[in-house]
């Protein structure tokens, strides 16, 4: 009987110490110490034993019961403490987690699209309507109506992708000017943004890029309106009110006079660096007064109306705005890069 009792005691202690939770611990207590528990039953059967046995085992059984109750109490305290620790761990927010690893992180617009939206709302605030113009364009809208008849040498600069002899992936957003002049009532102010395509691919050119086209036609529009508006625009977009700008004479078949607008190189503050080709200036857009031929082709009386137009490459401006040195990063789809250019 002594061996059997020792065996039962060590079994009970093992069970108590490995009880995984408070409920299981309670079951173990009932099994060993409850009214019909293993040790209680043995106490009850003592009556059938000799007086000596009753004395020895009775004393031992009572001591065992007290000992087990103490083990149970200790295990309960351990389990309660574990429960509290578990709850604290569950409720703690780990503020050190990098946001970008969050599988539920919201996406955002691509930096180029973000900038396009910003330009659209900027121009909308001074009355420019955003209009759509197709990416697959006819020779007429892409070239001829912009004062570039067949064999005009300016066509060669565009290195186009032709779909058939008279259809092309637009090489610039300027066709939107013609479409606006054909359909919108005068005076008009429009902005058109989107993808354009050229057979160009190197460090600073991609075969597809984004442009923004603007056109303002009214009576008595002059070159000073163009200068004032575009200077203000660049100051706001690049967040630098003091940024120096200059207008340099240039040539575009659809404007006369034509100019290119440069900004003082933001990287070297005009001390001359690689970014600005050691000139201190960076070209940001092309512009000019709409060529009277272009107005006439679209049926607008060039004696009554004048206007100005401008076109710019968005990736170029995005590089300046976000301090990016390699144009191709915008198309590499690396979220670590893209997520940094959002404001
Ligand atoms: N379309 C020209 C280009 O892609 C940019 C341009 C220059 C647009 C002068 C204009 C402009 O509207 O007036 O190179």
């Amino acid at each position: 009987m002594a061996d059997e009792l020792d065996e039962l005691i060590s079994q009970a202690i093992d069970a108590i110490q490995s009880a995984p939770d408070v409920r299981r611990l309670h079951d173990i207590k009932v099994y060993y110490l409850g009214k019909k528990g293993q040790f209680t039953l043995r106490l009850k059967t003592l009556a059938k034993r000799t007086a000596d046995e009753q004395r020895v085992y009775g004393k031992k059984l009572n001591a065992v019961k007290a000992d087990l109750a103490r083990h149970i109490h200790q295990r309960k305290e351990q389990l309660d403490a574990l429960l509290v620790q578990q709850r604290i761990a569950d409720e703690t927010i780990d503020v050190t987690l990098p946001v970008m690893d969050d599988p539920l992180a919201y996406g955002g617009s691509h930096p180029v699209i973000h900038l396009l939206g910003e330009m659209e709302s900027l121009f909308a605030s001074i009355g420019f309507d955003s209009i759509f113009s197709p990416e697959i364009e006819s020779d007429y809208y892409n070239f001829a109506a912009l004062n570039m008849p067949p064999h005009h040498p300016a066509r060669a600069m565009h290195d186009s992708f032709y779909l058939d002899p008279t259809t092309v992936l637009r090489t610039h957003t300027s066709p939107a000017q013609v479409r606006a002049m054909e359909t919108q009532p005068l005076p008009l102010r429009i902005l058109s943004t989107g993808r354009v395509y050229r057979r160009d691919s190197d460090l600073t050119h991609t075969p597809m890029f984004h442009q923004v086209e603007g056109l303002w036609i009214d009576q008595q529009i002059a070159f000073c309106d163009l200068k004032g508006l575009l200077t203000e625009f660049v100051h706001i977009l690049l967040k630098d009110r003091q940024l120096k700008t200059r207008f340099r004479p240039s040539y575009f078949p659809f404007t006369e006079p034509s100019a290119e607008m440069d900004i003082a190189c933001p990287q070297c503050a005009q001390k001359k660096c690689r970014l600005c080709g050691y000139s201190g200036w960076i070209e940001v857009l092309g512009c000019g007064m709409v060529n009277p031929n272009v107005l006439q082709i679209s049926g607008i009386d060039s004696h009554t109306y004048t206007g100005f137009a401008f076109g710019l490459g968005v990736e170029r401006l995005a590089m300046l705005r976000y301090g990016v040195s390699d144009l191709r990063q915008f198309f590499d789809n690396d979220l670590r890069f893209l997520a940094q250019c959002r404001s």
Side-chain angles (χ1 to χ4, degrees):
M1 182 169 177
D3 282 354
E4 191 250 12
L5 195 60
D6 287 342
E7 172 77 34
L8 195 65
I9 293 168
S10 78
Q11 210 184 71
I13 292 176
D14 274 357
I16 291 166
Q17 282 173 347
S18 56
D21 52 47
V22 179
R23 251 181 85 177
R24 187 83 188 93
L25 186 65
H26 179 74
D27 293 346
I28 293 167
K29 183 178 171 183
V30 171
Y31 178 75
Y32 289 105
L33 304 178
K35 266 188 199 154
K36 293 180 185 165
Q38 297 296 316
F39 291 100
T40 323
L41 286 178
R42 279 168 181 72
L43 264 177
K44 282 181 184 162
T45 56
L46 267 185
K48 296 176 194 156
R49 310 248 167 202
T50 63
D52 266 1
E53 280 177 338
Q54 281 185 14
R55 199 167 36 77
V56 176
Y57 288 110
K59 206 171 159 192
K60 179 155 187 182
L61 274 171
N62 278 322
V64 166
K65 279 184 80 172
D67 197 34
L68 288 185
R70 195 172 43 79
H71 273 100
I72 289 172
H73 180 72
Q74 277 174 357
R75 182 63 185 156
K76 168 110 180 17
E77 287 196 330
Q78 270 178 5
L79 287 172
D80 284 346
L82 275 175
L83 206 67
V84 172
Q85 275 173 17
Q86 183 67 41
R87 207 172 276 167
I88 290 172
D90 285 351
E91 289 172 6
T92 307
I93 299 167
D94 183 354
V95 291
T96 64
L97 271 183
V99 174
M100 285 190 48
D101 286 343
D102 180 355
L104 294 177
Y106 289 106
S109 50
H110 188 278
V112 167
I113 302 300
H114 177 86
L115 212 57
L116 277 182
E118 221 175 273
M119 292 191 228
E120 278 176 341
S121 46
L122 229 156
F123 277 96
S125 72
I126 44 172
F128 280 67
D129 287 334
S130 283
I131 66 158
F132 167 81
S133 196
E135 286 176 33
I136 295 176
E137 194 51 284
S138 67
D139 180 285
Y140 176 76
Y141 285 107
N142 198 79
F143 296 120
L146 288 164
N147 209 23
M148 281 183 269
H151 312 301
H152 191 292
R155 287 189 178 210
M157 296 194 308
H158 282 232
D159 289 329
S160 325
F161 291 109
Y162 277 91
L163 302 181
D164 64 48
T166 56
T167 316
V168 69
L169 288 181
R170 67 176 176 190
T171 57
H172 53 173
T173 42
S174 299
Q177 290 186 31
V178 183
R179 291 180 175 275
M181 287 188 283
E182 283 181 354
T183 54
Q184 309 262 322
L186 295 172
L188 68 81
R189 266 173 285 184
I190 60 99
L191 198 78
S192 194
T193 68
R195 288 186 273 264
V196 301
Y197 303 85
R198 293 190 196 172
R199 221 147 36 75
D200 251 352
S201 187
D202 58 36
L203 262 182
T204 51
H205 296 91
T206 47
M208 185 283 293
F209 60 103
H210 295 77
Q211 279 193 342
V212 169
E213 191 81 18
L215 175 69
W216 184 338
I217 294 186
D218 203 340
Q219 298 181 21
Q220 298 177 342
I221 293 281
F223 200 84
C224 60
D225 299 312
L226 174 159
K227 275 186 87 173
L229 184 91
L230 292 180
T231 307
E232 182 74 5
F233 159 67
V234 165
H235 281 174
I236 295 176
L237 199 79
L238 297 179
K239 302 183 174 187
D240 182 358
R241 285 252 153 233
Q242 311 303 324
L243 188 63
K244 267 209 299 194
T245 58
R246 75 173 182 189
F247 288 80
R248 192 166 29 81
S250 183
Y251 171 76
F252 298 104
F254 35 94
T255 45
E256 181 61 36
S258 303
E260 265 156 331
M261 184 185 184
D262 296 340
I263 60 167
C265 178
Q267 182 159 295
C268 65
Q270 293 202 291
K271 289 193 185 70
K272 302 185 179 172
C273 66
R274 242 186 83 189
L275 181 69
C276 57
Y278 303 97
S279 71
W281 294 97
I282 292 187
E283 178 199 321
V284 287
L285 56 83
C287 57
M289 302 306 292
V290 180
N291 190 314
N293 284 347
V294 172
L295 293 172
Q296 298 288 10
I297 291 171
S298 297
I300 293 177
D301 177 3
S302 62
H303 297 292
T304 315
Y305 287 98
T306 52
F308 69 78
F310 60 91
L312 59 88
V314 184
E315 281 79 1
R316 162 75 66 99
L317 271 181
M319 286 171 82
L320 294 171
R321 162 84 168 254
Y322 299 121
V324 173
S325 53
D326 187 346
L327 173 75
R328 291 169 299 189
Q329 285 190 286
F330 287 120
F331 304 108
D332 280 348
N333 263 346
D334 184 340
L335 284 178
R336 287 169 307 178
F337 166 77
L338 296 175
Q340 288 179 50
C341 312
R342 269 196 200 132
S343 58

